[in-house]
Amino acid sequence: MAHLNDGGALLKPETARMMHDFRAPGVGPLNAMALGFYEQMVNGHRAIAHIGGNRASEMDFHVPSKRRVGYEQALTAAGIPIDTALFQAADFTLQGGYAAAKQLLGDPRSRPTAVFVASDEMAIGTILAARDLGLTVPDDISVIGVDDHELSEFFGLSTIAQFPALQGRMAVDIVMDQLHPGHRDLALTNTPLPYELIVRSSTARPTSRKSN
């Protein structure tokens, strides 16, 4: 486990916990994506691909575009050019992630050293695709997801946990505040919402073979 403190120093606690304003329930686009992105930066990766949502999933909910925006903002903040060839769209399923990863990882000449995936189910599909291509995770390719799916630990997947039950309770509080303004101290509802970077065995520094 590794994360950065405010001064950029490398720390190694059991988990890295960050906070954001819960008035917009759910992980903010830059905060969570930057958290996972900087985990990869700490590990020395520069060619970091992204598997995000396709048009159909975007019509159902706007999380895919927000996570892609966060990914691109984090790249820009780190001085890494955005390469559209390192993006593949999928449908937030294991099968969709598998197919997208096959596209990203199939050509060794343009293969990234890490993949930042917008959901754990797609990230698990990415791990399976890498294995079918004869690649080893994390020696050949690092993979990180979002959501801390119940199977993430089994696959050794590094991920960003979002605490959906807590988000739901806080969302209800926001709705009640809007329906009954002034019924309680607004400051009490501005409690930061935690999310957590959980580093497992799917992420590591790129090998010298990958870096050269």
Side-chain angles (χ1 to χ4, degrees):
M1 163 67 69
H3 76 290
L4 297 177
N5 69 7
D6 291 339
L10 181 61
L11 304 176
K12 292 187 177 181
E14 181 63 25
T15 55
R17 188 175 292 267
M18 303 285 286
M19 312 294 284
H20 74 100
D21 183 355
F22 90 93
R23 298 300 293 183
V27 173
L30 176 59
N31 291 334
M33 300 311 271
L35 181 63
F37 173 82
Y38 281 115
E39 159 62 19
Q40 301 303 336
M41 290 299 295
V42 166
N43 280 334
H45 294 277
R46 299 287 291 178
I48 305 173
H50 178 49
I51 296 177
N54 57 18
R55 182 169 298 181
S57 61
E58 180 64 25
M59 291 178 65
D60 291 334
F61 58 110
H62 297 298
V63 169
S65 62
K66 290 180 180 179
R67 292 181 180 178
R68 184 176 181 182
V69 166
Y71 159 79
E72 293 180 346
Q73 287 178 338
L75 285 175
T76 300
I80 300 176
I82 296 171
D83 184 352
T84 56
L86 292 179
F87 172 79
Q88 282 289 327
D91 59 0
F92 275 70
T93 66
L94 188 152
Q95 294 87 346
Y98 180 94
K102 279 289 193 75
Q103 293 295 316
L104 282 172
L105 306 179
D107 186 349
R109 297 170 298 179
S110 58
R111 182 180 295 148
T113 63
V115 186
F116 200 23
V117 191
S119 79
D120 281 354
E121 287 190 53
M122 293 195 297
I124 292 170
T126 299
I127 291 174
L128 296 176
R131 292 176 180 174
D132 285 352
L133 288 169
L135 303 174
T136 301
V137 177
D139 293 340
D140 296 313
I141 186 78
S142 286
V143 180
I144 186 168
V146 182
D147 292 334
D148 196 25
H149 188 277
E150 60 184 6
L151 291 177
S152 296
E153 185 174 8
F154 177 81
F155 282 93
L157 177 64
S158 296
T159 185
I160 301 167
Q162 297 190 70
F163 308 101
L166 177 59
Q167 291 178 10
R169 291 195 299 270
M170 290 181 168
V172 170
D173 288 340
I174 292 173
V175 172
M176 294 304 296
D177 288 340
Q178 293 174 340
L179 292 175
H180 305 286
H183 81 288
R184 62 176 178 167
D185 186 355
L186 184 60
L188 296 177
T189 69
N190 282 327
T191 303
L193 177 64
Y195 54 88
E196 187 175 27
L197 173 61
I198 302 173
V199 180
R200 299 188 176 109
S201 61
S202 68
T203 50
R205 295 187 62 84
T207 64
S208 57
R209 176 171 56 83
K210 288 193 294 181
S211 301
N212 294 336

